[in-house]
Amino acid sequence: MDHKENTTLELLFQYQSIAMDNMTQGLCLFDREQRVVVSNRQYRDLYGLTEAQVQPGTTLEKICRARIARGIYSGNDPEAYVAERTAPFSDGHDRTQRLTDGRTIFIRRRPMPDGGWLTTHEDITDRCEAEAKVSFMALHDGLTGLPNRTQFHNRIEEMLARVRRGERAGLLSLDLDHFKSVNDTYGHPVGDALLQEVARRIRDTTRETDTAARLSGDEFAVLQAQVRTASDCAALAQRLISILSEPYSISGHLIMIGVSVGIAIADQENSEAECLMRSADLALYSAKNEGRGTYRHFATEMDIEMQERRRIEGDLRAALVRGEFQLYYQPIMDLRKMSPCGFEALLRWNHPQFGVVPPLNFIPIAEETGLILPITEWVLHQACNDAVSWSRPLSVAVNLSAAHFRHGNPAQSVRSALEVSGLDPARLEVEITETLLLDKTVPISEMLQEIKNMGVRISMDDFGTGYSSLSYLTDFPFDKIKIDRSFVKDLPAGKGSLAILRSIAGLGFSLGMTTTAEGVETDEQLAVAISEGCSEVQGYYFSPPRPMDEMAETLQRCDDKCAGYQRQRAVSLKVV
Ligand code: C2E
Ligand code: CA
Ligand code: CA
């Protein structure tokens, strides 16, 4: 080899090493004896090796041991690492190795024709972390860090595989009570902070083996592992209810919320994810209906009930159009004059299949679906129109639902019914219940005042069944208090009921409000209502609610009843 050839080779060698050192990957070429032929700077840097430690001729085993000495290898057994790395291989392969220092290296090995091989090494830690973050975000809720619906489904599926082998699990579906009003009252940042705190409490209450998830807004769920009996789930539900109901201190506000829980058990008979979720939701729905802050186990009847509800919902939509609603009228008696002073309009639904459906079976559904608005408008118009045609100018009372105040404009509905019918506003009464006054999110007082300003009277219905705060009676000038049937039904013997009836009648008298005892069925109950100073009564004693075309008979019946009662009183007074 002459001098010229020599310098060309040297140059080539230099170019090669410059090129190799400027690669982004680490590179090392081994011969068939597993000795280094050539390597680059990146290779040494990746494993923290000196140039001397990888100089040509060094065995792979030596390099492995040098890496171990630097604490940079993979797995937790150094000898196994050496054995694995130096094992002979024939095919090229790629693999990802996680090093003891936390980095992830992508290694490519390719055999060379002479029996040696080439390896490239690339640090892909950042890429892995970014990918892990993206996949974490796809499976978790951004606000609370809990698994989201997708991940929860994955966990359920994993769990169900174990359930099919005999394990039992519980699915607890959670829904916060009153969360919406927190958001409305304090704003979304406080709402968000509250959800984070809720998530923390749920996480602290569940075990490592359980999965807690946030499914949407204020909906959470827990997959409880290793359940022996249903009471394990009940115990967890109860713990969650008490922990989540403790006060929260957020941005200087003391906030109280509650939670309702529905429970479904996964066992060998019940191991379909969709079915399980649905069952837990049905149980949750039932828990919410039972009064919030409770838990319910799924029962098959709930499914039947729900199907029935769906059906009613559909039928209810069509009922208005088909003219299936009808008003029944129940007389209200003035005790001073001993004669009817008005009627309460009570809604009936003539279902083509089920016959007459009582309001309690469909009003709650109408309220939830928003159908209560058009229904109430219909009731108002019909009742006012009917009243205009009565032979005596008696008053007519219409029940207004709380949902109407929340989602509609009751004053507007009342005004329109009065205008269209031409009924004297003084003959119209609207009845509202106490639950309406609990809602602080809408200006109830202003809405009621607007109705009152038209000359319409306002009654507090079913008084005594809700919170019965006396402040309700002073905060808003009601014209009438209707004493709930439950305080009348065990009269005259019921001492507690008697005391309540007496005090409400006294209160009404002092506040200048009419008092009506509801549900009077017997002579004795009528006598108590009179002696305790109620101004009016309503009940089966005089008449049940009857259709409009029976009004004349109803009035006649009331008059007869009054005459009969008075005759009887006269007789008993004579006897005394
Ligand atoms: P409510 O407003 O308390 O109506 C009185 C209920 O007591 C009526 O039941 C009536 O039939 C019943 N009742 C009257 N006297 C007696 C009695 O002596 N003994 C017994 N056991 N019951 C008596 P109804 O008609 O089934 O209505 C139930 C509830 O449905 C009503 O309670 C009211 O809250 C609601 N409702 C009825 N019609 C309407 C309506 O048009 N709109 C709204 N929002 N709710 C309505
Ligand atoms: Ca009523
Ligand atoms: Ca009532």
Side-chain angles (χ1 to χ4, degrees):
M1 204 186 294
D2 63 16
H3 176 70
K4 200 175 160 203
E5 268 185 332
N6 215 354
T7 44
T8 313
L9 262 177
E10 260 171 30
L11 262 176
L12 244 167
F13 189 71
Q14 270 177 21
Y15 287 159
Q16 186 194 356
S17 91
I18 288 170
M20 276 180 26
D21 284 349
N22 281 292
M23 288 172 64
T24 53
Q25 300 156 329
L27 175 145
C28 193
L29 180 65
F30 293 92
D31 64 15
R32 58 189 310 162
E33 253 75 61
Q34 300 200 334
R35 289 172 195 280
V36 174
V37 178
V38 64
S39 68
N40 69 357
R41 185 173 50 76
Q42 282 74 7
Y43 178 76
R44 298 191 294 275
D45 291 351
L46 265 182
Y47 297 102
L49 303 170
T50 62
E51 216 169 334
Q53 285 172 314
V54 285
Q55 66 181 322
T58 314
T59 61
L60 174 58
E61 183 183 340
K62 239 177 153 180
I63 293 179
C64 288
R65 295 206 181 277
R67 285 184 197 165
I68 292 166
R70 296 268 302 135
I72 300 176
Y73 58 103
S74 77
N76 42 21
D77 178 356
E79 283 313 313
Y81 172 70
V82 174
E84 188 260 332
R85 288 278 81 194
T86 55
F89 69 96
S90 50
D91 291 333
H93 59 252
D94 300 341
R95 69 158 49 181
T96 302
Q97 229 173 27
R98 197 165 155 79
L99 299 181
T100 31
D101 63 2
R103 284 178 302 151
T104 307
I105 311 292
F106 178 69
I107 303 171
R108 213 162 231 188
R109 274 185 172 198
R110 293 287 178 271
M112 302 297 278
D114 67 346
W117 74 93
L118 177 76
T119 55
T120 57
H121 302 244
E122 188 182 357
D123 184 345
I124 55 165
T125 314
D126 289 348
R127 203 200 309 160
C128 287
E129 277 171 5
E131 277 169 14
K133 203 166 165 197
V134 168
S135 64
F136 182 88
M137 275 159 51
L139 296 175
H140 291 78
D141 162 48
L143 182 66
T144 62
L146 288 180
N148 62 12
R149 194 179 282 275
T150 313
Q151 175 71 335
F152 194 60
H153 264 277
N154 298 342
R155 293 284 168 83
I156 293 180
E157 291 294 353
E158 285 163 22
M159 171 64 76
L160 290 178
R162 299 212 296 277
V163 165
R164 281 175 211 116
R165 279 181 253 122
E167 197 179 317
R168 287 175 121 205
L171 181 61
L172 283 72
S173 194
L174 281 68
D175 191 285
L176 303 184
D177 303 329
H178 317 303
F179 176 71
K180 194 182 165 299
S181 59
V182 170
N183 250 352
D184 291 346
T185 315
Y186 302 105
H188 286 267
V190 171
D192 284 355
L194 178 66
L195 289 172
Q196 285 170 332
E197 176 60 17
V198 164
R200 200 186 60 74
R201 291 189 190 182
I202 295 177
R203 220 183 267 127
D204 289 352
T205 312
T206 48
R207 292 169 306 179
E208 283 282 297
T209 44
D210 301 337
T211 303
R214 178 175 175 224
L215 303 184
S216 68
D218 60 349
E219 255 188 287
F220 292 83
V222 173
L223 184 61
Q224 188 182 7
Q226 292 153 11
V227 165
R228 281 159 302 152
T229 63
S231 60
D232 289 348
C233 299
L236 177 59
Q238 193 52 62
R239 264 204 317 280
L240 285 164
I241 291 171
S242 41
I243 283 165
L244 296 179
S245 308
E246 277 171 21
Y248 297 75
S249 168
I250 289 166
S251 314
H253 304 290
L254 197 66
I255 298 173
M256 301 279 286
I257 53 162
V259 64
S260 305
V261 184
I263 305 170
I265 307 262
D267 53 25
Q268 279 170 314
E269 276 85 64
N270 186 18
S271 58
E272 283 289 324
E274 284 308 318
C275 181
L276 205 59
M277 292 282 279
R278 204 177 108 80
S279 302
D281 283 346
L282 282 169
L284 171 65
Y285 183 81
S286 151
K288 290 182 87 109
N289 271 353
E290 298 268 327
R292 286 138 199 272
T294 55
Y295 66 85
R296 284 286 169 276
H297 287 277
F298 170 74
T300 320
E301 309 83 69
M302 292 175 183
D303 209 0
I304 298 167
E305 236 170 67
M306 184 53 83
Q307 283 170 16
E308 182 76 353
R309 251 188 86 88
R310 292 264 151 72
R311 216 171 114 158
I312 294 185
E313 233 176 85
D315 289 355
L316 207 49
R317 280 178 208 284
L320 261 180
V321 188
R322 294 202 209 122
E324 290 167 4
F325 288 120
Q326 187 183 3
L327 288 182
Y328 274 42
Y329 290 97
Q330 185 176 33
I332 301 169
M333 306 299 292
D334 180 330
L335 292 178
R336 209 168 30 85
K337 296 188 191 148
M338 257 307 172
S339 69
C341 56
F343 286 90
E344 178 174 3
L346 292 156
L347 188 58
R348 297 291 179 269
W349 176 14
N350 297 311
H351 192 282
Q353 230 178 316
F354 308 135
V356 180
V357 184
L360 292 180
N361 290 14
F362 67 88
I363 296 270
I365 304 177
E367 285 175 337
E368 274 175 42
T369 51
L371 285 167
I372 192 70
L373 265 79
I375 293 177
T376 311
E377 306 232 323
W378 180 86
V379 172
L380 273 167
H381 278 84
Q382 189 65 40
C384 291
N385 278 335
D386 285 352
V388 168
S389 69
W390 290 345
S391 56
R392 302 186 208 173
L394 304 181
S395 63
V396 63
V398 170
N399 293 283
L400 290 188
S401 141
H404 203 105
F405 286 78
R406 244 173 257 135
H407 308 294
N409 184 344
Q412 181 53 43
S413 310
V414 168
R415 184 175 294 113
S416 146
L418 287 171
E419 275 170 15
V420 173
S421 63
L423 182 75
D424 174 2
R427 287 180 59 196
L428 180 63
E429 281 175 20
V430 296
E431 300 191 358
I432 60 148
T433 57
E434 293 169 63
T435 44
L436 175 64
L437 303 166
L438 284 177
D439 192 334
K440 302 285 180 235
T441 57
V442 271
I444 305 292
S445 267
E446 283 87 333
M447 289 166 140
L448 288 176
Q449 193 59 54
E450 203 183 335
I451 298 174
K452 204 174 157 80
N453 290 346
M454 294 175 215
V456 173
R457 277 169 298 155
I458 305 208
S459 309
M460 159 74 81
D461 201 0
D462 305 341
F463 191 71
T465 52
Y467 287 77
S468 305
S469 165
L470 295 184
S471 66
Y472 294 153
L473 297 178
T474 48
D475 284 356
F476 188 82
F478 287 98
D479 298 284
K480 184 187 277 191
I481 311 169
K482 297 188 80 173
I483 305 166
D484 191 66
R485 195 168 65 229
S486 52
F487 304 111
V488 175
K489 78 174 189 310
D490 51 354
L491 290 178
K495 292 258 183 311
S497 296
L498 184 65
I500 290 171
L501 183 90
R502 181 175 294 165
S503 42
I504 303 177
L507 200 68
F509 181 78
S510 318
L511 294 170
M513 297 175 185
T514 305
T515 45
T516 309
E518 293 187 303
V520 169
E521 294 182 357
T522 64
D523 280 325
E524 290 84 356
Q525 289 167 347
L526 176 61
V528 173
I530 295 174
S531 65
E532 294 306 331
C534 293
S535 359
E536 299 176 347
V537 291
Q538 181 180 350
Y540 293 170
Y541 179 78
F542 287 99
S543 170
R546 300 302 312 153
M548 167 81 171
D549 54 14
E550 292 177 26
M551 187 132 284
E553 292 95 307
T554 307
L555 284 172
Q556 188 56 54
R557 193 180 139 92
C558 289
D559 291 342
D560 293 350
K561 273 278 179 185
C562 286
Y565 180 78
Q566 271 160 343
R567 262 199 311 276
Q568 199 187 326
R569 289 282 295 168
V571 171
S572 61
L573 280 177
K574 262 189 211 152
V575 171
V576 170

